[in-house]
Amino acid sequence: MKKAISRGIPFLILALLTISVATGIDGYVSIKIMRIIDYALDGNMDLFKKESLEGFILVGILLPLNILVAITRGLYINKSLVKSKIYYIDRIFKKNINEFQGENNAKYLAALTNDMNSIEQNYLVGIYGVGAGLIRFLVSFIVIASVSPSALFIGIGITVISSILSMLAGKPLQKHERQRTDLFEGYTSYIKEVLGAFQIIKANDLNDKVKDDFYDKSESIQHKGYIIDRISTYIFASQQFTIMMSIFLTFMVAVYMAIKGSITAGAVILIVNNMENMFFPLMGLTELFPKIVSVKTLFNKMDESLKNHDDYKETLELDDFKSSIEFKNVSFSYDDNQVLEDVDLSINKGEKYLIVGPSGGGKSTFLKLLRKYFNPTRGEILIDGKNLRDVKKESYFKNISNVEQQVFLFEDSVKNNITLYKDYSDEEINLAIERAGLTDFIRGLPNGLDTIIYDNGKNISGGEKSRIAIARGLLAKTDIIFLDEAFASLDAKVAKEIEKTLLNLEGVTVVNVSHVIFKETKDKYNKVFVVKNKAVL
Ligand code: ADP
Ligand code: MG
C-alpha cells in the first residue's frame, strides 16, 4: 500500500514548492509591515510610502499564489488516493479465487471506503500538513532571527514547552480513534449483510430483529463518537489555554525588549505575528504525527487482506488443451471435512462427461478442482502431462469456460454481457445466441442486444440468465467447458436443446455437473461419473 501511495510524491513536492514560495512571500510581507510601522513612527514619509507600495504589491501576488497552493494540495491528495485505490483493486483481483471466496468480502469494501477515507484524512492530509507546517516554521524562524536572535531564543523555549503540553493532552484520543475504526468495519459488513438479505428479512418478518440489531450497532458507534467528542473538547480547551498563555508571554517579552531599546516597535509586531506562525505549525505537528503513525496499522491490515496465503509459484504455460486431464490419487478436504478420496480418472479431449450424485456429495468440489480454483490436498491433476498445480492460472483460464449456477451479469447491454467485452463478429455472436436458445428472448427485447440488464439481471428470468452464461461459454470457443447445474432453472425443452448443442460441439471437452438428467441425452455422453462417498466412479 505504502508503495502505491508514494507514487503521489512528485505531486507532494510540487505542492510543497508552491507553499514554500507563498510562505516566503508571507514572511517578507511581515518584514515590510515592521518597516512600515517603524518608518511611520520615525516620520520618514518617503520610505513609508515606498515600503507600503511594495507591501501592497506582495499582498496582491499572494492571492493567485494561495489559489495555486490550494490547487496543488488538492492535486496531490487526489492523485495519491486514486493511485492507491487502483492499486488496491488491482491486487484484489490477484487474489486466489478460493482465498477470496473463503473471506468475508466486507473487508475489501471497508478498505475501499472507510480505510481510504482514513488514509486521506490522517495520512495524506497529515503528511502535507507536516511539510507545510515545517516550511511555515522555518520561514518564521528566519524572519525573527533576522530581527532579534535573542527574541527567537526565548520564543522557541515557549513554543517547545507548550507543544509538549498539548501533545500530552492529545494522547487519550488515539486509543478511542482506533476502536472507532474497528467498530466501523463491523458496521459496514453488517449493513451489507442486511441489505443482501432484504428478501428473507421481509418474507420472514424479521424487521424488528434487524431494527434492534441495527440500533445496537449504531448506538455503539455513536457512543464512541460522543466519547471522542467529549475528550476532544477537553483537549481543545487546554490547548487553547496554552496557546493564549504562550502568545501573551511572547508579547510581554517583546514589549519588554522594546522598552529596553533592544528592538523597535515594528519588531514587536513582527515577533508576535511570526511567533504564531512558529507556534501553530509545531502544535499541528504534535497532532499530525500520531495520526500519520496510526495509519501504519491500516496499511498492514490492508496489505494483509491482499496477501495470498498460498503463494505457490506457478511456472508453466498452457497454450491449448491437446489430449487429457488425469486425476492421480486425488484427495481433497475443506479443513477437516474430506470430500474426495483417491480419485483416479481421465478426461479426454473432445469427449463429453456428465457428473451426477447426491447433493453435498462433492460434485461442485470436483469441478472446482478441474477449474483450478483449488489444488488437491493430496495426489495430482495432470493436464497433457503437466501438473495443473504448476500451470499458471491465467494461462489455464484462457482454455476453459465456466457456466455457473449463479450467473453474474454486469449492469450493461445484453451484448456486452454475452461477449464479456471482447471483440467477436456479428455472425459469431448470433451463432452463440442461437445455440444457447436466446434468439426468441433477444427478439422480444425492446432494444434487442443493446437492451440494458439491471442490477445483476433483476429484469430477466433465471433461465434467461443461464442461457446468457451458456452463450458466453459457446462464444469464448474454449477447448473446455465446465457447467455446474447450469440447467437447473431451465425448462426441460430448452435444457435438452442446449444440452444437444453442447454434446455436438466438435473437439470441445464438456464436463457437465447436473442433477437434471434426460434419458434422450444421457446416452450421448462418453461417460457418466457418479460422485458419492468421496469417490468419483
Ligand atoms: P455438491 O456440489 O455435490 O452438492 P459440494 O461439492 O458443493 O457438493 O460440497 C461437498 C461438501 O463440501 C459438502 O459437505 C459441503 O458442505 C462442503 N463444502 C463445499 N464447499 C465448501 C467450502 N467452500 N468450504 C467448506 N466446505 C465446503
Ligand atoms: Mg453443487
Side-chain angles (χ1 to χ4, degrees), residues 98 101-102 332-335 337-339 356-368 374 484-485 513 531:
N98 53 340
Q101 284 179 338
F332 183 82
S333 344
Y334 297 103
D335 298 324
N337 178 12
Q338 180 153 27
V339 180
V356 298
S359 170
K363 303 183 293 298
S364 295
T365 305
F366 172 65
L367 212 53
K368 280 177 187 158
F374 298 121
D484 194 353
E485 305 285 6
V513 168
V531 183

Side-chain angles (χ1 to χ4, degrees), residues 78-359:
N78 199 1
K79 291 277 178 193
S80 309
L81 265 185
V82 169
K83 282 178 198 294
S84 317
K85 285 183 182 172
I86 289 175
Y87 167 84
Y88 193 81
I89 285 280
D90 194 45
R91 287 286 305 273
I92 289 181
F93 285 99
K94 292 213 162 65
K95 286 212 66 141
N96 294 334
I97 293 178
N98 53 340
E99 292 191 33
F100 181 81
Q101 284 179 338
E103 291 158 346
N104 181 351
N105 57 23
K107 74 179 176 192
Y108 305 108
L109 217 64
L112 282 166
T113 52
N114 288 335
D115 296 352
M116 285 291 176
N117 226 356
S118 296
I119 288 180
E120 175 177 357
Q121 294 307 324
N122 296 335
Y123 191 76
L124 296 174
V125 172
I127 285 189
Y128 178 83
V130 168
L134 285 176
I135 290 166
R136 274 175 73 192
F137 182 87
L138 220 68
V139 167
S140 299
F141 185 96
I142 294 167
V143 169
I144 297 179
S146 73
V147 176
S148 165
S150 48
L152 180 70
F153 197 65
I154 297 166
I156 286 187
I158 298 172
T159 312
V160 168
I161 291 172
S162 56
S163 299
I164 291 173
L165 286 179
S166 71
M167 186 170 71
L168 292 178
K171 248 203 146 75
L173 212 53
Q174 290 168 35
K175 189 185 79 192
H176 290 283
E177 287 283 11
R178 224 172 300 128
Q179 287 171 349
R180 180 152 72 171
T181 312
D182 291 344
L183 279 174
F184 258 118
E185 191 180 323
Y187 194 59
T188 314
S189 84
Y190 174 73
I191 291 175
K192 185 174 157 260
E193 182 187 302
V194 165
L195 294 180
F198 188 82
Q199 278 190 17
I200 300 176
I201 291 167
K202 292 277 286 187
N204 294 288
D205 201 16
L206 294 171
N207 305 26
D208 286 342
K209 181 187 160 1
V210 170
K211 239 187 262 167
D212 290 345
D213 287 354
F214 190 72
Y215 176 81
D216 289 344
K217 289 193 198 277
S218 307
E219 173 66 18
S220 54
I221 286 187
Q222 291 307 328
H223 184 68
K224 193 46 89 184
Y226 167 72
I227 294 177
I228 289 174
D229 280 347
R230 211 180 47 195
I231 298 177
S232 303
T233 314
Y234 294 139
I235 293 173
F236 186 69
S238 61
Q239 285 176 342
Q240 281 295 309
F241 173 76
T242 331
I243 291 168
M244 283 301 292
M245 241 5 215
S246 313
I247 291 173
F248 188 71
L249 273 175
T250 315
F251 189 65
M252 297 289 288
V253 171
V255 170
Y256 179 77
M257 288 169 81
I259 293 169
K260 287 278 168 201
S262 58
I263 57 173
T264 63
V268 173
I269 307 283
L270 175 135
I271 289 169
V272 173
N273 269 344
N274 279 281
M275 275 313 292
E276 281 182 30
N277 272 344
M278 280 173 68
F279 199 69
F280 286 114
L282 213 61
M283 295 268 285
L285 295 190
T286 61
E287 252 175 64
L288 295 175
F289 267 125
K291 280 190 177 173
I292 294 173
V293 173
S294 77
V295 175
K296 204 178 154 211
T297 43
L298 212 60
F299 284 148
N300 289 342
K301 195 182 83 180
M302 289 170 97
D303 282 334
E304 187 58 34
S305 74
L306 292 172
K307 221 182 256 166
N308 277 319
H309 296 280
D310 172 19
D311 54 358
Y312 186 81
K313 262 259 164 296
E314 295 162 342
T315 50
L316 303 178
E317 299 281 347
L318 187 79
D319 295 331
D320 51 2
F321 174 43
K322 293 190 188 68
S323 73
S324 70
I325 301 176
E326 287 166 281
F327 276 55
K328 293 208 180 288
N329 292 319
V330 169
S331 300
F332 183 82
S333 344
Y334 297 103
D335 298 324
D336 296 339
N337 178 12
Q338 180 153 27
V339 180
L340 297 172
E341 190 172 3
D342 287 332
V343 175
D344 273 294
L345 55 83
S346 258
I347 286 173
N348 299 317
K349 178 164 169 93
E351 301 202 330
K352 316 291 186 264
Y353 299 85
L354 180 64
I355 315 291
V356 298
S359 170

